[in-house]
Amino acid sequence: ETLRDPRISLPMYGQIADLQDNGQFVPYDPYRLTDNCQQTILSYMAEPPKQESGHNLWLILIAGRQSGKSVTSEYGAYAKAAYTFGYDHVCMADSRKRAEFLHRRVHNLHDKWPENVRQETLYTNEIRQLSFANRAMMRVIYAKDGSAGIGQSFDSFHWSEVPFCDGAADTWSMLQPAIVNRKNTSVLMESTPAPQHISSASWWQDIAFQAYRRESRFILAFFSFWDTLSNRRRWPDNAKIEAHELKLLEEF
């Protein structure tokens, strides 16, 4: 039960490739790269806030690039699946290639998890899913598949880079009815800010505003790009704020 909480188990046992430095695996630390974004994701995965009816609220998360939000979401789901009997987690991304990349990171996490606390898996040659001996599973589906949302009944769902998926609204319309009445299903949709001309940006903007105004089951978490340490640079000693920068500071 303790290891099921990713806020506890990931800092204790998780390792992650430090892509910002030399690519070597280092102990996972949610504060190593972001001030608040990664810890917020793990907190949601551990204890999703609920509606008065007892149904989980669903999280819309927007953050800057290179914040580790997609990998952190999968890492959080790993702890839940590895230590929860029959747990079913689904990851979907804007492309097959990205979905499979995220899932490979899960396999890396599992391989480096200490054997004395590592959940056994049923197979050794899986690529697109991870099947645990406790009948739990982590798997990927693809947004471009015409029937991506039909027949799914998962316990947690992570959708990465939503507005960059073609036909995101149609995909969600097929997927949502299967989970809307399940009280304990968690949904985490995340993305970097998307230009308006991107295929599903308008729909993504609509549901983000609904979440912001608390007019739906969604709640919103927004992190400016400077929440991510890799997006910061030392301010030059002789630098001065220019006129257009002053206007931006006044506006934002």
Side-chain angles (χ1 to χ4, degrees), residues 23-149:
Q24 299 296 312
F25 279 85
V26 297
Y28 176 79
D29 177 359
Y31 297 108
R32 181 183 176 90
L33 186 61
T34 66
D35 286 339
N36 296 295
C37 179
Q38 292 191 16
Q39 182 61 27
T40 296
I41 291 171
L42 298 185
S43 294
Y44 176 78
M45 296 297 296
E47 293 182 288
K50 293 182 178 292
Q51 296 176 305
E52 291 184 5
S53 63
H55 292 74
N56 283 354
L57 289 166
W58 295 337
L59 179 63
I60 299 289
L61 186 138
I62 303 172
R65 294 187 181 277
Q66 300 301 308
S67 58
K69 58 190 179 302
S70 297
V71 173
T72 301
S73 300
E74 288 300 291
Y75 270 31
Y78 173 85
K80 300 285 287 188
Y83 300 106
T84 307
F85 181 83
Y87 196 88
D88 185 13
H89 171 74
V90 169
C91 171
M92 185 161 67
D94 56 309
S95 69
R96 179 184 296 261
K97 184 176 181 180
R98 253 184 48 79
E100 292 178 352
F101 166 78
L102 287 173
H103 193 64
R104 282 199 301 273
R105 303 293 292 274
V106 172
H107 281 266
N108 291 339
L109 176 68
H110 177 74
D111 291 341
K112 293 185 175 298
W113 206 262
E115 290 188 15
N116 62 321
V117 292
R118 184 168 61 195
Q119 179 64 258
E120 293 183 13
T121 54
L122 294 177
Y123 313 103
T124 58
N125 59 348
E126 290 184 307
I127 298 176
R128 296 180 180 86
Q129 67 182 40
L130 190 63
S131 303
F132 295 100
N134 64 358
R135 300 185 185 178
M137 181 183 299
M138 299 185 69
R139 54 196 175 94
V140 296
I141 59 177
Y142 308 112
K144 290 187 178 180
D145 292 346
S147 58

Side-chain angles (χ1 to χ4, degrees), residues 154-200:
F154 37 77
D155 296 290
S156 62
F157 173 62
H158 167 218
W159 194 349
S160 179
E161 302 296 353
V162 179
F164 298 92
C165 299
D166 292 335
D170 291 340
T171 299
W172 178 244
S173 70
M174 289 188 292
L175 191 150
Q176 190 247 18
I179 59 172
V180 67
N181 292 319
R182 298 190 61 175
K183 284 189 174 183
N184 297 316
T185 292
S186 302
V187 174
L188 197 164
M189 299 184 184
E190 43 87 357
S191 180
T192 54
Q196 279 300 119
H197 69 273
I198 296 298
S199 59
S200 297

